[in-house]
Amino acid sequence: MLNAKWLCKTAGIAVLVVTVVPTAVEARTRKGDKLLAQSRAAEVRKEWDQALSMAEEALSDDPADIAYQLHTTRMRYYASQYHLDVGKKIREQGQLEQALAEFEKAYGINPASQMAEEEITRTKRMIEREKNKPAAEQKPEERGMTPVQLARQQDQKRFAAMRPLPDLKPLNPEPINLKMNNQPTRVLFETVGKLAGVNVLFDPQMQAPPARPQSIELNNATLDEALDYLALVTRSYWKPISSNAIFVTDDNPTKRREFEDWVVKVFYLSNVTSQQEMQEVVTALRTVAEIQKIFTYQAQNALIVRAEADKVALAEKIISDLDKPKGEVLVDVLVMEVNRAKTRNLAAAIAPNGINSPIVFTPRSSIAVPGTPTTPTTGGTAAPSTSTSIPLSNIGNISTRDFSLTLPGGLLNALINDTNSKVLQSPQIRAVDNTKVSLKIGDKIPYATGSFQPGIGGVGINPLVNTQFTFLDVGVNVDITAKVHSFNEVSLHIVIEISNVKDRIDLGGVQEPEVGQTKIESDIRLKQGEVNLIGGLMQIQETKTISGVPGLASIPVIRRLFTSETVTKDSQELVIALIPHIVRAPDITDVNIRSISAGNSTTVKLTYAPQTAAEKQQPATPPAASAPVAQPVPGVPDSPGTPTPIAPNTPPATAPQLPGVNAPPATAPPVPPAKPDGQAVQPPAGNARVTFVPGQASAQLNGTITVSLMVDNATDLASTPMQVRFDPKILRLNDVVRGKLLASDGQQVAFSKNVLNDTGEATVNVSRFPTTGGITGSGSIVTLVFQAVGHGDTVITVPQLVLRNSQSQPILTASPQLAVTVK
């Protein structure tokens, strides 16, 4: 029965093999395989749609084929990803509808793609956003931006609009020459401000002037120097609040906490390599600059600092001095080792190694124990017995024939062996300043550490069962810590270790290496390129061995016949050369090492050198008189209460009226004649006029309105100070751009603006320099750029606009207006 069943199973298996094998062979040439090959060829060409189409056709031919299923799934992923990438590129170009079609195609190919579903939703929202936008607000560059990208762009614009501390830019860049006697604090500051064309605002709570007025004398002082001088003598504190205005109050801790500006700055350190170095910089800032609000961001090697402006400026100076590339040194290490071994062996003796001849008892066969087996010889006869056993009855028959003695032979030996070996290694090591660097050339040799259990009583316990091994670096090991000094010098802390395996010792069944080691540790200071030799590591070993016959070896002359002599000389010399090369030295400049003024123990205050005309982007000022002479003020007696300005060589652009003086200074232009009622006579305006262009303006909400203030038929026009007023609930003044009229002849002009959008006011002044005269012609004075922030009708006005000529005389007074409608 068993045999019958086994035969039936074997026959069934054979039939199955015959049936399956032809089918498998046929599958290799069917239509599906051909389509699969074509799909893979299209995949190589990156034609994903065609590859997917052929893969799906092959899968439809045989849906159960695993190879077809895997390839089709993979092609669906790649094809879907391809359409996603195409859709994103099209969407960036603003073609939202075409991008949506690509995303939908990607989702149709691979419905499991979460990315395709998200892009479809995001693109639909973008299309809806563009449809709801007014036509005036639609911008082509924003059409292809996703909501996240648009929000980031708006954030970047807002970040860029964040202003730093105001930089004071006086209208008159001339040095201040002024002498005033016995004047209160307000008069002093107002006088300097008017000479420089800067508005001065005082703290309403500022204390009353001291009982004793102050006297000052300024010679060729810049505006900052003059204000600092006044602040020192009057114990006041001032700060710029715009490019042409300053604020003055009492100098005390309370007022400084209330009015001193704080700034936030992020410092990116490019040369810090460890957290410890970052923390050391933070400690320096907190200790030296007294900055408490400081945070470290290790991911970007950044420091976030918030403090007073002068403290942040001091921190910037300190970081600039500390954050420098470290010095680097390239050290050539030359290891030269010379070994020499010389051996001489001389022996010409009968017994060079002494007499060691045993006497052997070899009894004859006739007296040996009977029945002792003997070894037959080749000829069939028995050899003499080698047995040492004899009967007691044969003791008397023992003679010298039963003993044998081996006599020592002669030896003639003369041998000399001389071995020389040289080892030269020349590795190079590059080390960063004050950082340890290691170089290891050689092998790692294991040696046993800890406890181990040897075999006991032949039981066969493996001695390595409880043994712990540690690997030892054998070869040339160099550790160098370099420090780069100025004047091309380098300090090196070096540890050089040269080792090799001399032998192996059996300790408890474990072969332990015997390591020969030479180690040098030293601190040296070298110049760049200087060679330092570490020598003197010399070892000489002499060994002399004599062996021979006692007594005879001591007899002169003939002792050579009974002795042998071996002489061994082994010498070893090691020389190490170190040659440093400075790759990068510390970049320390004169700006880094010089001291700077940083205020006093309670207040950090930095002072800056005056900027040149090129740095201020102002025309070069004409040379001042070599010896300015104080001019008296006409019509005013020379009294202690009268300020006496020192006239420079060139008068300022405008001649201010000094406070407390009834007559203009000597540098002021002539005053026009007065009418009988005391009013000044205005010169004829001629045909000059001032208008807004365009005459009316309208815009959508959040739209932009750009208008220009035009002057027609002006003669000798030199300055146009003005004040622009608007409704801040409807309009916002984004920018004021200087016009081309006053600079149409290529001359430089002074331009200042102060925009106050909260109150709806702006102060603008465009004036030519005194030495350039006036301009004649027509053109724009300024261009105003408004933004509509509210609905309604409003009017932009310029009340009491006075156009002045080169003599500072008014040539036209007007009040132009512009009607604006925001829909």
Side-chain angles (χ1 to χ4, degrees):
M1 291 296 294
L2 293 176
N3 293 335
K5 291 182 178 179
W6 182 82
L7 291 174
C8 291
K9 290 182 179 179
T10 302
I13 294 174
V15 172
L16 180 61
V17 171
V18 172
T19 305
V20 172
V21 171
T23 305
V25 174
E26 182 181 359
R28 302 270 66 84
T29 59
R30 63 186 179 182
K31 178 182 178 182
D33 289 343
K34 183 178 180 180
L35 293 172
L36 181 62
Q38 294 176 354
S39 176
R40 289 174 176 170
E43 178 186 359
V44 173
R45 299 190 302 269
K46 309 278 184 199
E47 298 175 355
W48 305 112
D49 290 339
Q50 184 179 358
L52 176 61
S53 176
M54 293 179 179
E56 290 180 341
E57 189 176 350
L59 182 61
S60 64
D61 186 68
D62 188 359
D65 195 308
I66 299 299
Y68 297 161
Q69 294 177 6
L70 294 177
H71 183 71
T72 303
T73 302
R74 189 161 57 90
M75 288 302 100
R76 284 175 181 168
Y77 170 78
Y78 282 116
S80 176
Q81 190 65 34
Y82 167 73
H83 286 286
L84 281 174
D85 295 339
V86 173
K88 290 179 181 179
K89 292 181 181 179
I90 295 177
R91 187 175 62 188
E92 291 176 357
Q93 299 173 0
Q95 303 176 11
L96 302 181
E97 290 76 11
Q98 294 84 340
L100 179 60
E102 291 291 336
F103 293 144
E104 291 176 344
K105 187 181 294 185
Y107 183 77
I109 292 174
N110 186 14
S113 175
Q114 182 68 22
M115 182 64 68
E117 186 175 354
E118 293 177 359
E119 295 297 342
I120 290 174
T121 304
R122 185 178 294 114
T123 307
K124 287 182 178 180
R125 291 177 180 176
M126 293 172 63
I127 294 175
E128 189 68 22
R129 179 193 68 192
E130 294 300 319
K131 288 182 179 179
N132 296 333
K133 269 188 178 181
E137 298 181 9
Q138 293 183 1
K139 300 179 180 179
E141 63 275 10
E142 296 181 356
R143 179 176 174 83
M145 291 186 179
T146 63
V148 175
Q149 292 174 337
L150 191 58
R152 288 178 179 174
Q153 184 190 47
Q154 294 174 354
D155 290 342
Q156 292 297 328
K157 290 181 178 180
R158 188 172 69 255
F159 297 155
M162 293 180 179
R163 296 182 178 180
L165 291 178
D167 187 14
L168 196 59
K169 297 179 180 179
L171 294 179
N172 183 15
E174 293 288 337
I176 297 176
N177 297 278
L178 182 64
K179 181 178 180 181
M180 300 183 67
N181 299 321
N182 299 328
Q183 291 296 320
T185 301
R186 291 178 178 266
V187 173
L188 296 176
F189 276 101
E190 288 176 350
T191 303
V192 172
K194 287 186 177 295
L195 286 175
V198 174
N199 298 324
V200 182
L201 305 178
F202 293 94
D203 182 10
Q205 299 178 356
M206 190 172 179
Q207 297 178 2
R212 181 179 178 181
Q214 300 293 333
S215 300
I216 63 169
E217 182 175 355
L218 303 175
N219 295 316
N220 291 328
T222 63
L223 176 60
D224 289 341
E225 293 173 345
L227 294 176
D228 289 339
Y229 181 47
L230 293 180
L232 179 64
V233 298
T234 61
R235 296 184 180 275
S236 302
Y237 163 69
W238 70 274
K239 70 170 186 177
I241 57 177
S242 68
S243 60
N244 62 348
I246 64 171
F247 176 80
V248 181
T249 185
D250 296 323
D251 189 5
N252 55 60
T254 302
K255 291 298 183 180
R256 281 189 173 270
R257 285 195 300 268
E258 184 177 356
F259 292 106
E260 195 166 12
D261 293 323
W262 284 46
V263 296
V264 176
K265 188 167 184 177
V266 180
F267 298 95
Y268 294 94
L269 309 182
S270 57
N271 299 294
V272 171
T273 57
S274 65
Q275 185 175 0
Q276 179 182 356
E277 294 177 358
M278 176 81 76
Q279 194 60 40
E280 290 176 354
V281 174
V282 172
T283 303
L285 296 182
R286 286 177 175 169
T287 305
V288 178
E290 298 182 356
I291 298 177
Q292 301 301 324
K293 298 182 182 299
I294 183 171
F295 179 77
T296 60
Y297 184 60
Q298 297 290 339
Q300 295 290 337
N301 280 346
L303 296 179
I304 306 172
V305 179
R306 181 175 182 266
E308 294 88 340
D310 284 326
K311 288 185 178 181
V312 174
L314 180 59
E316 186 175 5
K317 172 67 168 59
I318 295 174
I319 291 175
S320 176
D321 294 341
L322 298 181
D323 186 28
K324 290 182 175 293
K326 294 182 178 180
E328 292 187 44
V329 180
L330 182 67
V331 182
D332 292 328
V333 182
L334 302 179
V335 180
M336 296 168 285
E337 183 177 0
V338 179
N339 296 325
R340 183 174 184 178
K342 187 176 182 180
T343 304
R344 187 190 66 182
N345 191 356
L346 296 176
I350 297 175
N353 296 321
I355 299 176
N356 186 14
S357 299
I359 300 175
V360 182
F361 178 63
T362 55
R364 293 164 293 169
S365 59
S366 60
I367 67 173
V369 176
T372 300
T374 59
T375 303
T377 61
T378 306
T381 62
S385 175
T386 60
S387 175
T388 59
S389 300
I390 61 173
L392 292 176
S393 59
N394 292 334
I395 291 178
N397 298 325
I398 298 176
S399 67
T400 56
R401 292 178 298 174
D402 297 322
F403 295 90
S404 61
L405 175 64
T406 303
L407 296 177
L411 175 65
L412 178 62
N413 184 13
L415 177 64
I416 186 170
N417 187 7
D418 192 354
T419 303
N420 292 324
S421 63
K422 297 180 180 179
V423 179
L424 176 62
Q425 294 180 344
S426 57
Q428 285 186 333
I429 302 177
R430 182 164 179 169
V432 179
D433 184 73
N434 208 24
T435 302
K436 180 181 177 181
V437 62
S438 299
L439 174 66
K440 300 181 185 297
I441 302 175
D443 303 320
K444 283 184 174 291
I445 304 299
Y447 65 96
T449 58
S451 61
F452 59 91
Q453 182 178 2
I456 301 177
V459 179
I461 300 177
N462 190 344
L464 306 180
V465 171
N466 296 329
T467 305
Q468 299 176 354
F469 287 91
T470 301
F471 286 86
L472 177 67
D473 291 319
V474 176
V476 179
N477 302 323
V478 181
D479 294 335
I480 295 180
T481 303
K483 177 65 178 177
V484 181
H485 303 283
S486 58
F487 307 109
N488 295 329
E489 292 188 355
V490 180
S491 291
L492 299 178
H493 175 76
I494 58 173
V495 179
I496 300 178
E497 180 181 333
I498 302 174
S499 58
N500 62 335
V501 178
K502 299 175 62 177
D503 199 358
R504 290 189 177 272
I505 306 174
D506 189 354
L507 297 177
V510 178
Q511 294 290 328
E512 292 289 347
E514 180 183 358
V515 179
Q517 184 185 60
T518 300
K519 185 175 181 180
I520 303 170
E521 184 171 356
S522 177
D523 290 284
I524 56 178
R525 181 162 178 165
L526 304 172
K527 291 184 178 180
Q528 179 180 212
E530 182 180 355
V531 181
N532 181 77
L533 293 178
I534 303 177
L537 303 177
M538 182 179 295
Q539 180 180 0
I540 300 177
Q541 181 178 0
E542 290 190 11
T543 304
K544 185 176 183 180
T545 304
I546 299 176
S547 60
V549 180
L552 298 177
S554 301
I555 301 175
V557 181
I558 65 172
R559 67 183 182 85
R560 293 288 184 181
L561 299 176
F562 301 96
T563 59
S564 66
E565 183 180 273
T566 302
V567 178
T568 303
K569 293 184 178 180
D570 190 358
S571 62
Q572 180 180 1
E573 185 177 1
L574 178 65
V575 177
I576 301 174
L578 299 177
I579 308 173
H581 305 279
I582 298 177
V583 180
R584 180 186 292 114
D587 184 18
I588 300 177
T589 63
D590 57 339
V591 178
N592 302 133
I593 61 177
R594 71 182 182 186
S595 60
I596 60 173
S597 173
N600 51 43
S601 61
T602 59
T603 303
V604 175
K605 173 64 176 176
L606 303 184
T607 56
Y608 299 89
Q611 294 181 335
T612 62
E615 292 173 339
K616 292 183 178 181
Q617 295 183 353
Q618 296 286 351
T621 57
S626 57
V629 180
Q631 300 292 337
V633 178
V636 178
D638 190 6
S639 62
T642 304
T644 306
I646 301 175
N649 188 32
T650 303
T654 58
Q657 182 74 23
L658 298 181
V661 181
N662 296 326
T667 57
V671 180
K675 294 181 181 180
D677 56 0
Q679 296 182 359
V681 178
Q682 300 293 341
N687 297 324
R689 62 172 185 166
V690 181
T691 57
F692 275 109
V693 177
Q696 293 182 350
S698 62
Q700 300 288 337
L701 184 63
N702 295 326
T704 302
I705 301 174
T706 303
V707 296
S708 297
L709 194 61
M710 305 293 294
V711 175
D712 296 330
N713 300 325
T715 301
D716 194 23
L717 178 61
S719 62
T720 59
M722 69 186 74
Q723 185 178 22
V724 183
R725 294 181 181 178
F726 55 93
D727 189 352
K729 297 180 180 179
I730 300 178
L731 297 177
R732 175 184 177 84
L733 183 55
N734 289 340
D735 196 9
V736 180
V737 182
R738 177 177 60 83
K740 299 181 179 180
L741 175 59
L742 293 180
S744 58
D745 58 349
Q747 296 292 337
Q748 295 287 338
V749 298
F751 175 66
S752 65
K753 58 183 177 180
N754 184 21
V755 180
L756 302 175
N757 281 307
D758 295 337
T759 59
E761 295 180 354
T763 302
V764 184
N765 186 15
V766 185
S767 60
R768 293 169 62 88
F769 289 95
T771 57
T772 60
I775 193 74
T776 300
S778 303
S780 64
I781 304 175
V782 292
T783 299
L784 309 175
V785 181
F786 291 92
Q787 182 180 2
V789 296
H791 296 284
D793 296 333
T794 184
V795 177
I796 301 173
T797 62
V798 184
Q800 298 298 318
L801 171 61
V802 180
L803 304 183
R804 297 182 179 273
N805 59 14
S806 59
Q807 301 300 323
S808 191
Q809 297 176 353
I811 59 176
L812 176 64
T813 301
S815 299
Q817 298 182 356
L818 174 67
V820 178
T821 301
V822 179
K823 301 178 182 179

